[in-house]
Amino acid sequence: MKQAVSSIRYDVTVRRDVRVPMRDGITLSADLYLPETERKVPAIVVRTPYGKATQTMDATGRYFAAGGYGVACMDVRGRGDSDGEFVPYFNEGADGFDAIEWIAGQPWCDGSVGTMGGSYLARIQWLAALEQPPHLKAMISTVSPSDPFVEWPTGVPTPHHICWLYMTSGRVMQEVGVIDWESVYQHLPLVSMDEKTGKILPRWREELEHPRLDDWWRRISYQERFHELDLPVLHISGWYDDEQVGTLLNFSGMSTRARGERGRKNQKLVMGPWPHAINRSTRLGDLDFGPQSLIDLNRLQRRWFDHWLKGEENGIMAEAPVRIFIMQRNEWRDEAGWPLPGTRFTPFYLHSGGRANSRFGDGRLSMELPGEEGARVPDRYRSDPADPVPFITEMTSAQIGGPDDYSAVERRDDVLVYTTESLEEELEVTGPVRMRLFASTTARDTDFMVKLLDVWPGGFAQRLTDGMVRGRFRKGMDREELLEPGTVYEYDIDCWNTSHVFRKGHRIRVEVSSSAFPKYDRNLHTGGELGKEKEGVVAEQTVYHDPNRPSAIVLPVIPKNR
């Protein structure tokens, strides 16, 4: 049985707008939540661009302070009541170091400091940790964004990113509901898309000047530097978090590459059936994952800090390092690592008679290697950037996609659809999903998008996960190499991760297309300078599935009796 957190509850004193000095002389504003006790206590630092004086931040501060922590909820540089200019991510490493060390030196603090927070608040914890603040003892990283180009391997920011930049473009949150985002995203060229919001957004334009992973981006990257860290980290995300891939990369990276055994042996991962706003509802889209899908998140985080900041032996590190929610089975399961031990990475191959266009075509998916019929009749479709394949999503940046029904989208001829027969028994797929795609194009540059779906007996085509590759970056985001029209290339496409049981009678489906708008910008197929062009051309695409070019999606199948 899991041990309870300490039953001691302290009264809480709040000090508003406490000025925290940075090394360059500016001050950041923090609200301090302090337990009323004569003893020195450990501290938790939460740094945010979204406003420290919110109900959520206040509840967080009061909860942990009542449990015996000093909590600093702080506006980052240039936001809220803090001085300076907000430049996303670029000042957060040094500012995070200074904030942690200033808090550690306060007379009420015992010198042990942890950090926590989600999304932007998570990524800046990593940047601060790389500065090696000596009093930082542990982190809780929730729905953390990845390094540049990991989530959007396109060389340019995603259309939804301009919504986030607009929202954070002043000292206080800007109301995104007043903007017609669908119209904004349609604008070309990308470099002047900000004008459609009514504002010039310098950061948007600056990012478009760096379409490769160069030194400008590496200043705010962290995922290639886990070997510099030796910290215990609790990683939390959801299968439908639109930045999900970062959390799993971070857990795996720290577990295998952290500098010392303290870091490598003390990582924990929790993955629920949640979107970016984790643990708030049992429902997501048309699905209800049941009351067991919600957890006592405060208690989990409190136990983590009680162990690492207070030294309490509460049993949390004796528990399994990985806890995941298996969708469709709708239950939690403890695991020994990620990917799961015993996973069988199983290729499911594309087949057709050359007419896999739309869900009404002849595309098939099976574990059998393709035969010679695939060599005679590969699949073809036209990709027109003026009429991109839609990605189902809300228009703001709060959440991009979910377990949506793609059956209507699959009516299009520029979507290739490959589906298994109805399953005779259930199949669990838990882990990273990758696509090995053999394809050619008439263009100098193009995209290939891949989506994994569960087709229910009634026809509901539930999106599980997806991924994409931009042709010019097929060898890495640090270089551009245009395509040779007509040449067949093998593309390795990261489709992120899932944990899902395909029920008996359901079917596994894969979609292949060349756009997913507005999740990603439209590839104009010209091979020209990214973000600067207005006109595109139609690309003729060919997907191969024959013995020499066996296109396949590789699924992490979990055996029943592993």
Side-chain angles (χ1 to χ4, degrees):
M1 180 180 294
K2 297 177 181 178
Q3 298 182 21
V5 297
S6 172
S7 60
I8 299 175
R9 291 291 181 268
Y10 296 91
D11 291 333
V12 177
T13 296
V14 183
R15 302 177 187 170
R16 304 284 184 191
D17 195 25
V18 175
R19 308 309 296 187
V20 181
M22 299 291 104
R23 66 189 67 180
D24 62 354
I26 75 154
T27 61
L28 305 187
S29 176
D31 290 345
L32 299 183
Y33 297 80
L34 303 176
E36 294 183 3
T37 175
E38 296 299 317
R39 296 187 303 108
K40 291 189 175 185
V41 296
I44 299 170
V45 175
V46 188
R47 304 179 59 251
T48 180
Y50 304 124
K52 67 183 184 305
T54 64
Q55 289 185 341
T56 299
M57 293 292 277
D58 185 72
T60 297
R62 291 181 185 277
Y63 173 82
F64 284 99
Y69 293 90
V71 183
C73 297
M74 182 180 299
D75 290 326
V76 299
R77 179 183 295 244
R79 294 286 292 162
D81 296 322
S82 289
D83 296 338
E85 178 187 0
F86 179 58
V87 182
Y89 296 115
F90 274 83
N91 296 302
E92 305 297 9
D95 285 355
F97 177 102
D98 292 351
I100 290 166
E101 292 306 301
W102 185 86
I103 292 293
Q106 296 309 293
W108 50 263
C109 183
D110 68 6
S112 290
V113 181
T115 58
M116 66 183 297
S119 197
Y120 188 97
L121 290 68
R123 185 172 166 192
I124 64 176
Q125 291 180 68
W126 293 99
L127 298 176
L130 287 169
E131 299 292 321
Q132 307 296 333
H135 292 93
L136 178 61
K137 305 303 182 186
M139 304 193 323
I140 300 176
S141 175
T142 305
V143 295
S144 180
S146 292
D147 281 350
F149 303 129
V150 173
E151 293 160 21
W152 73 99
T154 59
V156 293
T158 65
H160 282 85
H161 182 55
I162 204 167
C163 175
W164 186 86
L165 289 174
Y166 178 90
M167 180 178 68
T168 58
S169 60
R171 299 197 67 87
V172 298
M173 298 288 278
Q174 307 297 295
E175 175 53 63
V176 298
V178 301
I179 304 297
D180 178 1
W181 292 108
E182 189 169 4
S183 174
V184 172
Y185 300 154
Q186 290 284 346
H187 177 81
L188 290 173
L190 293 180
V191 69
S192 58
M193 184 185 285
D194 56 349
E195 295 175 5
K196 292 287 289 184
T197 72
K199 272 190 175 186
I200 300 298
L201 300 170
R203 177 59 181 255
W204 172 260
R205 298 183 176 214
E206 189 172 16
E207 290 187 8
L208 279 160
E209 296 301 322
H210 297 273
R212 293 178 296 280
L213 185 59
D214 56 15
D215 289 342
W216 189 84
W217 286 113
R218 286 191 172 95
R219 291 168 53 196
I220 56 173
S221 299
Y222 69 94
Q223 289 176 316
E224 295 180 355
R225 300 176 62 187
F226 293 132
H227 62 279
E228 300 177 29
L229 300 175
D230 198 25
L231 282 170
V233 184
L234 172 59
H235 310 257
I236 307 171
S237 185
W239 300 122
Y240 282 105
D241 171 20
D242 53 38
E243 296 186 300
Q244 169 233 93
V245 66
T247 294
L248 293 151
L249 289 174
N250 295 346
F251 172 79
S252 297
M254 286 295 289
S255 296
T256 58
R257 305 203 309 273
R259 186 177 70 237
E261 188 168 309
R262 182 172 183 267
R264 290 192 299 272
K265 300 293 186 183
N266 293 300
Q267 305 296 309
K268 290 188 80 70
L269 172 68
V270 177
M271 295 293 298
W274 307 316
H276 195 60
I278 64 167
N279 199 48
R280 296 189 185 179
S281 173
T282 66
R283 294 194 62 86
L284 185 58
D286 292 330
L287 303 184
D288 192 325
F289 296 103
Q292 68 277 8
S293 63
L294 299 181
I295 64 174
D296 189 341
L297 186 58
N298 274 339
R299 179 179 176 278
L300 172 65
Q301 295 178 124
R302 169 78 184 280
R303 292 179 68 224
W304 181 258
F305 282 141
D306 282 354
H307 178 77
W308 290 109
L309 301 186
K310 293 183 177 180
E312 293 184 7
E313 293 301 330
N314 56 15
I316 192 167
M317 297 314 297
E319 297 164 9
V322 174
R323 187 162 178 78
I324 57 175
F325 190 90
I326 316 300
M327 296 187 292
Q328 278 297 293
R329 199 171 285 152
N330 288 356
E331 64 184 25
W332 290 93
R333 194 170 70 208
D334 292 337
E335 293 287 350
W338 183 268
L340 307 191
T343 301
R344 294 179 182 171
F345 289 96
T346 306
F348 283 71
Y349 297 97
L350 309 189
H351 301 263
S352 84
R355 299 182 304 280
N357 311 78
S358 88
R359 62 185 170 92
F360 305 111
D362 66 355
R364 295 179 292 111
L365 190 68
S366 81
M367 289 185 284
E368 295 181 5
L369 277 163
E372 290 299 331
E373 78 282 355
R376 294 193 300 272
V377 281
D379 288 307
R380 295 182 171 87
Y381 62 96
R382 302 173 77 251
S383 176
D384 184 353
D387 182 25
V389 176
F391 185 89
I392 301 171
T393 184
E394 297 295 330
M395 288 295 113
T396 70
S397 59
Q399 171 67 30
I400 305 174
D404 304 296
D405 182 2
Y406 273 82
S407 57
V409 174
E410 292 167 351
R411 299 176 68 93
R412 296 173 58 114
D413 282 344
D414 55 355
V415 180
L416 303 182
V417 179
Y418 304 89
T419 312
T420 66
E421 299 294 332
S422 296
L423 298 180
E424 296 182 358
E425 58 181 12
E426 71 176 31
L427 182 74
E428 180 184 336
V429 172
T430 294
V433 178
R434 301 195 77 87
M435 182 76 187
R436 185 172 66 243
L437 184 72
F438 293 87
S440 65
T441 179
T442 58
R444 297 302 309 279
D445 188 31
T446 194
D447 295 344
F448 288 103
M449 277 69 179
V450 174
K451 191 180 293 102
L452 174 67
L453 308 101
D454 178 353
V455 184
W456 295 46
F460 174 61
Q462 175 192 346
R463 169 186 169 261
L464 296 175
T465 188
D466 59 88
M468 66 87 67
V469 63
R470 178 150 289 176
R472 70 173 74 196
F473 293 117
R474 66 195 179 279
K475 295 183 179 180
M477 295 305 305
D478 58 346
R479 72 200 81 169
E480 291 184 67
E481 185 178 303
L482 295 179
L483 302 171
E484 191 66 38
T487 297
V488 181
Y489 295 96
E490 178 180 355
Y491 297 98
D492 178 27
I493 303 175
D494 183 356
C495 297
W496 294 22
N497 310 267
T498 192
S499 181
H500 181 84
V501 172
F502 292 86
R503 293 292 193 183
K504 180 181 178 180
H506 288 224
R507 293 176 292 160
I508 304 170
R509 175 171 289 171
V510 169
E511 294 176 11
V512 178
S513 63
S514 289
S515 47
F517 185 76
K519 182 176 183 178
Y520 302 106
D521 70 291
R522 293 162 287 175
N523 194 319
L524 299 183
H525 299 146
T526 65
E529 190 175 3
L530 290 172
K532 307 296 178 65
E533 296 184 307
K534 294 180 65 175
E535 302 295 331
V537 297
V538 173
E540 303 285 346
Q541 318 288 59
T542 305
V543 170
Y544 300 86
H545 39 75
D546 58 64
N548 296 320
R549 297 167 294 193
S551 295
I553 192 163
V554 181
L555 300 182
V557 174
I558 307 302
K560 287 185 176 180
N561 301 312
R562 62 187 174 101

